[in-house]
Amino acid sequence: MKKQLLLIAVAALLAGCDDAKEPVSFTPEMASFSNEFDFDPLRGPVKEFSQTLLNEKGEVTKRVSGTMSKEGCFDTLELHDLENNSGVALVLDANYYLDAETKEKRLRLQGKCQLAEFPAAGVTWDTDDNGFVVLATGKEMEVKYRYDEEGYPLGKSTTSKDEHLTVASTPSKDKRKKLDYTSLSTLNDKPLGSVKQTCDYDSHDNPLSCTLDVVDLSVSPQVTHKYSIKNTIAYY
């Protein structure tokens, strides 16, 4: 009897360990912001992070960085597109994100820290019952967003006048390697480009570094560009 009890206890302990190792789902804020602002979503109690995209020459082309509260809100978010010489730095202030330099109100929020409105562009965001942004509407534009059961962003579809742009992402079947994905972009149902990404991960199942093959399918012969991503992540 004692031996049976011991085996039951060990089995229960192992089952508890398995449960503890289940990957953490993506929060509505992390998933929605990454879907909207085009960066890789992260899991777990992230305190601050940066994602740097480099081209084949090792030159930085894009960089995203942010700090987060323990509740999972983006306290700050910086987006820099060096190729197009554009960027913005946002800082959380009550229910708005302000321009870090001018202190102008840029984005209005709903709830604690979810996207609600971009007044200057006339864009509003709607969420589902779980708090994920699923729809953005503007004067002549509509964007629909999709996620899987873990909150991983599966892409978006943008309709503007007579143009329909769709980005569909297929993540790895390994739940711990969601950022190993392939995606296909189409414009009016014609292939525009594809991406294949493969990453190395940390103990939180977040990517530390990745390689990307980006294929331009709109030209003949098709052209492949190779990129890499270097990430830094600090946790609470």
Side-chain angles (χ1 to χ4, degrees), residues 115-219:
L115 298 168
E117 183 184 13
F118 185 4
V123 174
T124 58
W125 288 281
D126 294 326
T127 56
D128 63 10
D129 293 339
N130 296 315
F132 290 83
V133 167
V134 292
L135 179 67
T137 53
K139 197 171 184 179
E140 298 180 341
M141 172 274 297
E142 180 182 86
V143 186
K144 295 180 179 179
Y145 306 82
R146 298 186 303 114
Y147 309 86
D148 69 8
E149 68 280 357
E150 292 181 69
Y152 177 81
L154 294 175
K156 52 190 176 183
S157 299
T158 304
T159 302
S160 178
K161 295 184 179 180
D162 58 347
E163 290 189 341
H164 184 67
L165 175 64
T166 298
V167 180
S169 180
T170 304
S172 167
K173 292 181 180 179
D174 186 339
K175 290 185 177 182
R176 300 187 184 282
K177 297 182 177 181
K178 286 282 187 177
L179 275 303
D180 286 13
Y181 70 86
T182 58
S183 72
L184 178 66
S185 301
T186 60
L187 180 62
N188 295 337
D189 296 324
K190 294 182 179 180
L192 193 63
S194 67
V195 176
K196 181 178 181 180
Q197 177 168 291
T198 306
C199 303
D200 293 320
Y201 294 81
D202 65 11
S203 59
H204 290 267
D205 303 314
N206 284 324
L208 289 173
S209 61
C210 306
T211 57
L212 296 85
D213 289 337
V214 180
V215 183
D216 185 350
L217 301 173
S218 66
V219 296

